[in-house]
């Protein structure tokens, strides 16, 4: 079995695993029909259909979609009954309701790249920017930022937030082709569209808060004296307060985020003229590139120089793996910042227990503690018993998290104390409540059992420093990359724990609809929050380097990231956070970049089992260059892609030696520069050797690019082990750091 077939076999297994997981589903009808995406590759140039809205008649591309589909409809129905949406502005394809047989027939037809079900996905002060060392921009930079447009794929926007005021903003850049549908925009938020089940024209208003939170993290203006009920007081701002926002609402309260809507948003956003796409939508596992709307969409975005920054995923606790792994998009892990929210309960015996929550309710003083008779704080379990005015003690329910929202509030409790895993984030509840560890919970129970009148006081939350930050968040989905083991994912990490940002007053700050509170700013946690930090940093770099490619911007962010604190097993953490923590200020002046063109990604896709026919459809026939056999190919391995990090999966206990060819481009202030190499080993005891040749790079006006080869050799003794190092190029002014990570599969 050659390397190619091993790779394909793994992909097949992994595809099954994805569809078997319960968190992703597709809708199916009574005749076994369901919604599919039919991906046809690039737009037939040059006369692509750039109209922003379909008009009365069919465009020629839409007519072609209908013709193609009519060829497989054998049940008397017509394409016009089946097609939900045509993609025709930035990429070619359509969404349609089909039977499985029809989908299979289409997949075999000439001109079709892939056919896959449209699934549903989850969404899962800014002190954080100060923590990252990004200063508030001076006036002249705000003007540069004004030319940068960020597309937010999220739950819409609450435009009345002071974070989105357009005071002092000029009109949108003249190249902007976007529109505001069913929404009045301003000069800060210059585009707004909504997509639901293929329907457009609905309101892009944010009814959930999530979209306003992420948008203000990317590009909210500086707003002073922001807090959540007096907590976390400070200035809230985005990375690029002067930049413009365009909103693509693809996620809904009552339906998640659908593949076919996500692809429609990419189709529009690229043609509208966004520079950066911020994509805080996650799956439990990744998908094969051309069966995933975000990989397809971000590929076409890359062709237009648009950077897509996406969440790595929130399934670290439940064994999921990093998603959004295509090499032409950033996958962003979440880590902590230097602030924590803690809350205390004081028991009647004087004992104080410190837990976590974001609790701004007045203290609940000396109230009776009650253990639920059914042993659960679920809403149904509390019915009929008298917990009114008491503090409920809620044991762990689903293994790691207790939902203390609905039950205690419905039962009229005065507060709740829940047992959970040692939490690394604090959450907002609709009543005075906190989460404590299981041993602390047992201590509270022992006290409650020891007296006939157990009482406790739940205080208000206060903030504390967190000297260990940044630490990778436990929920952040780890690598390895299940699709292409040679591409290190996540790429880097950004703040994603307890982030305060704008909120929509149409939604309560906790996830309980019965919570009556309404706020302008709220605190939230997830890779949904870390992604917009990276999107903002990408926009920041783009604002000063308008002509940089997607790969150059990704490289600048990755090679300047700060290696993170690594308590515990140092190596494994490289698969958790990639290159380390985002450093936007350094990313602006990275010294050297690892660039990659569309052709380089195509060469990499050739190593992944795609053939010239398929690749020609995706990019147009002339650029494709897969060589004929699996031997002596232009790119022998995906590790040959000029990526700013290096990774490999190897066999346990076997010697390996791998070569990574790389080329760097000098983007420093002077055309002449000399860089010397050093290798940093995470753990010198590891059986790893890294050789770089040449180990000095000299740049001048004639030689802006220099190539070198990194040879990594050694042995990884056991399954499930990760060993790592870093190759760093330095000219004494810049440090250009690439993580090198070698790992073995775990046994399970
Ligand atoms: C605007 O959005 C609302 C809410 O989504 C919807 O009910 C209404 O039909 C939309 N209006 C138009 C003109 O499409
Ligand atoms: C900040 O906001 C708080 C609460 O909204 C208010 O009481 C206080 O006066 C404000 N402080 C300033 C300096 O505006
Ligand atoms: C709670 O009860 C304790 C013991 O009776 C008492 O010392 C304390 O002052 C009470 N706290 C409040 C806030 O009422
Ligand atoms: C907790 O319960 C509330 C009310 O039933 C629900 O809306 C929310 O989604 C639940 N949260 C989690 C994390 O399960
Ligand atoms: C305390 O009481 C609860 C409920 O009656 C019981 O389940 C638990 O085992 C007791 N815990 C301790 C530590 O005594
Ligand atoms: C390319 O791959 C597709 C899908 O696997 C296959 O149908 C086609 O025959 C292949 N073409 C060539 C030239 O190998
Ligand atoms: C592809 O090549 C043909 C013939 O060499 C040329 O006429 C055509 O313009 C090229 N198309 C593109 C998209 O470069
Ligand atoms: C690949 O195959 C085509 C036709 O099958 C042939 O014309 C071409 O020379 C081959 N290229 C290489 C690099 O072998
Ligand atoms: C692996 O490499 C080590 C160190 O170079 C060498 O001593 C050993 O013989 C090699 N083992 C095999 C199986 O090649």
């Amino acid at each position: 079995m050659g390397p190619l077939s091993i790779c394909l076999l793994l992909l097949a297994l992994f595809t099954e695993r994805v569809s078997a997981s319960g968190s992703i589903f597709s809708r199916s009808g009574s005749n076994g029909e369901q919604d599919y995406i039919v991906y046809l590759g690039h737009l037939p140039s040059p006369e692509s259909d750039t109209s922003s809205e379909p008009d009365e008649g069919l465009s020629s591309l839409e007519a072609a979609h209908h013709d193609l589909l009519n060829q497989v409809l054998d049940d008397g129905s017509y394409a016009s009954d089946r097609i939900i949406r045509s993609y025709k502005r930035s990429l070619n394809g359509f969404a349609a309701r089909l039977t499985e047989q029809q989908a299979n027939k289409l997949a075999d037809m000439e001109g079709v790249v892939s056919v896959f079900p449209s699934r549903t996905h989850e969404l899962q002060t800014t002190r954080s920017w100060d923590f990252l060392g990004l200063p508030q921009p001076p006036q002249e930079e705000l003007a540069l930022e004004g030319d940068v447009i960020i597309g937010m794929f999220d739950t819409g926007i609450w435009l009345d937030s002071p974070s989105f005021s357009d005071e002092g903003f000029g009109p949108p850049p003249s190249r902007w082709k976007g529109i505001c549908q069913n929404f009045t925009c301003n000069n800060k938020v210059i585009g707004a569209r909504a997509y639901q089940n293929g329907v457009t024209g609905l309101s892009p208003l944010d009814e959930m808060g999530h979209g306003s939170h992420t948008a203000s993290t990317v590009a909210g203006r500086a707003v002073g004296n922001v807090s959540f009920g007096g907590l976390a007081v400070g200035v809230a701002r985005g990375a690029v307060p002067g930049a413009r926002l365009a909103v693509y609402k693809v996620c809904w309260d009552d339906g998640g985020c659908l593949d076919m809507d996500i692809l429609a948003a990419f189709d529009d956003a690229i043609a509208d003229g966004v520079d950066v796409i911020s994509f805080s939508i996650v799956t439990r596992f990744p998908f094969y590139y051309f069966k995933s709307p975000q990989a397809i969409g971000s590929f076409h975005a890359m062709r237009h120089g648009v950077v897509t920054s996406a969440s790595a995923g929130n399934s670290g606790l439940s064994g999921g793996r990093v998603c959004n792994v295509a090499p032409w998009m950033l996958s962003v892990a979440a880590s902590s910042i230097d602030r924590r929210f803690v809350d205390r309960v004081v028991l009647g015996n004087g004992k104080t227990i410190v837990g976590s929550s974001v609790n701004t309710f007045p203290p609940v003083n000396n109230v009776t503690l009650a253990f639920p008779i059914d042993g659960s704080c679920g809403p149904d379990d509390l019915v009929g018993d008298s917990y009114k005015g008491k503090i409920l003690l809620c044991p762990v329910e689903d293994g790691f998290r207790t939902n203390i929202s609905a039950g205690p509030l419905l039962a009229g409790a005065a507060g709740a104390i829940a047992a959970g895993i040692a939490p690394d984030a604090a959450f907002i509840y609709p009543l005075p409540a906190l989460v404590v560890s299981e041993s602390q919970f047992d201590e509270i129970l022992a006290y409650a059992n020891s007296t006939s009148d157990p009482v406790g006081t739940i205080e208000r939350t206060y903030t504390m420093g967190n000297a260990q930050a940044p630490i990778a968040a436990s929920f952040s989905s780890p690598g390895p990359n299940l699709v292409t083991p040679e591409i290190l994912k996540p790429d880097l990490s950004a703040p994603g724990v307890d982030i305060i940002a704008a909120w929509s007053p149409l939604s309560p700050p906790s996830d309980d609809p019965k919570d009556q509170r309404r706020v302008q700013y709220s605190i939230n946690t997830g890779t949904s929050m870390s992604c917009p930090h990276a999107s903002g940093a990408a926009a920041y770099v783009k604002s000063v380097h308008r002509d940089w490619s997607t790969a150059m911007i990704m490289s600048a962010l990755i090679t300047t990231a700060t290696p993170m604190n690594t308590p515990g097993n140092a190596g494994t953490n490289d698969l958790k956070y990639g290159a380390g923590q985002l450093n936007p200020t350094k990313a602006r002046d990275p010294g050297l970049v690892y660039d990659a063109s569309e052709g380089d990604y195509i060469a990499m896709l050739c190593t992944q089992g795609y053939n010239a026919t398929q690749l020609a459809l995706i990019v147009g026939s002339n650029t494709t260059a897969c060589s004929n056999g699996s031997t002596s190919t232009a790119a022998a391995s995906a590790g040959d892609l000029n990526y700013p990090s290096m990774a490999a999966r190897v066999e346990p206990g076997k010697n390996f030696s791998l070569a990574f060819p790389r080329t760097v481009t000098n983007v420093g202030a002077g055309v002449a520069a000399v860089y010397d190499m050093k290798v940093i080993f995470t753990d010198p005891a590891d059986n790893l050797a890294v050789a770089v040749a040449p180990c000095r790079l000299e740049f001048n006006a004639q030689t802006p690019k220099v190539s070198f080869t990194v040879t990594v050799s050694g042995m990884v003794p056991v399954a499930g082990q990760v060993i790592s190092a870093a190759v760093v190029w330095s000219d004494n002014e810049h440090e250009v750091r690439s993580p090198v990570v070698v790992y073995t599969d775990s046994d399970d």
Side-chain angles (χ1 to χ4, degrees), residues 66-74 105 109:
H66 284 248
D67 286 347
L68 183 70
L69 181 54
N70 276 327
Q71 292 175 52
V72 303
L73 293 178
D74 44 13
K105 264 197 208 168
M109 288 178 73

Side-chain angles (χ1 to χ4, degrees), residues 165-431:
S165 152
D166 70 349
E167 202 187 318
F169 275 65
S174 55
R175 68 194 159 86
W176 177 240
K177 294 200 194 67
I179 56 170
C180 300
Q181 272 185 310
N182 204 342
F183 196 77
T184 306
C185 286
N186 63 18
N187 283 331
K188 171 79 185 169
V189 178
I190 60 173
R193 300 170 183 265
Y195 311 80
Q196 189 177 30
N197 280 326
V199 174
T200 53
L202 298 173
S203 170
L205 195 62
D206 181 11
E207 294 172 304
M208 295 173 72
H210 192 278
S212 304
H213 201 278
T214 54
S216 67
T217 302
V218 177
R221 353 178 12 128
V223 180
N225 197 23
V226 157
S227 75
F228 179 77
L231 274 181
V233 184
V235 176
R237 67 183 157 102
V240 278
R244 323 282 182 150
L245 289 162
V247 173
Y248 299 85
K249 179 173 179 174
V250 292
C251 298
W252 301 79
D253 207 357
D254 55 350
C257 332
L258 265 60
D259 275 351
M260 61 174 164
D261 295 329
I262 291 170
L263 197 56
F266 273 105
D267 191 34
D268 278 338
I270 299 164
D272 287 349
V274 303
D275 297 296
V276 174
I277 289 170
S278 189
F279 189 83
S280 287
I281 301 170
V282 301
T283 53
R284 259 175 62 73
F285 290 96
F287 289 88
Y288 202 20
Y289 300 130
F290 292 106
K291 296 203 165 177
S292 145
Q294 51 266 45
I296 293 170
S298 59
F299 184 86
H300 289 277
M302 172 275 295
R303 300 186 80 201
H304 290 82
V306 177
V307 183
T308 304
S309 153
S311 300
N314 296 339
S315 29
L317 288 170
S318 50
R321 291 291 167 189
V322 57
C323 64
N324 297 322
V325 296
W328 47 83
M329 75 200 293
L330 266 183
S331 181
V332 186
S335 41
S336 55
I337 63 170
D338 57 349
R339 176 185 63 206
R340 286 198 316 135
F341 295 108
V342 288
D343 199 10
R344 301 197 303 181
V345 55
V346 183
L347 304 177
N349 61 5
K351 175 97 191 157
T352 297
I353 306 236
V354 179
S356 84
S357 75
V358 178
N359 167 25
T360 57
F361 290 103
V364 176
N365 290 321
N366 284 343
V367 159
T368 302
L369 303 176
F371 190 83
I373 290 165
D374 289 343
S376 157
C377 285
D380 298 339
D381 302 313
L382 296 176
V383 171
D385 297 311
S386 175
Y387 302 107
K388 200 165 171 55
K390 296 178 180 163
I391 292 176
L392 270 162
L393 304 178
C394 303
V396 171
E397 278 171 37
D398 65 359
F400 60 92
R401 188 162 160 183
T402 310
N403 189 345
I404 48 179
S405 300
L409 188 69
L410 271 178
I417 301 169
I421 55 147
D424 56 7
F427 295 92
I428 299 174
Y429 304 105
L431 77 174

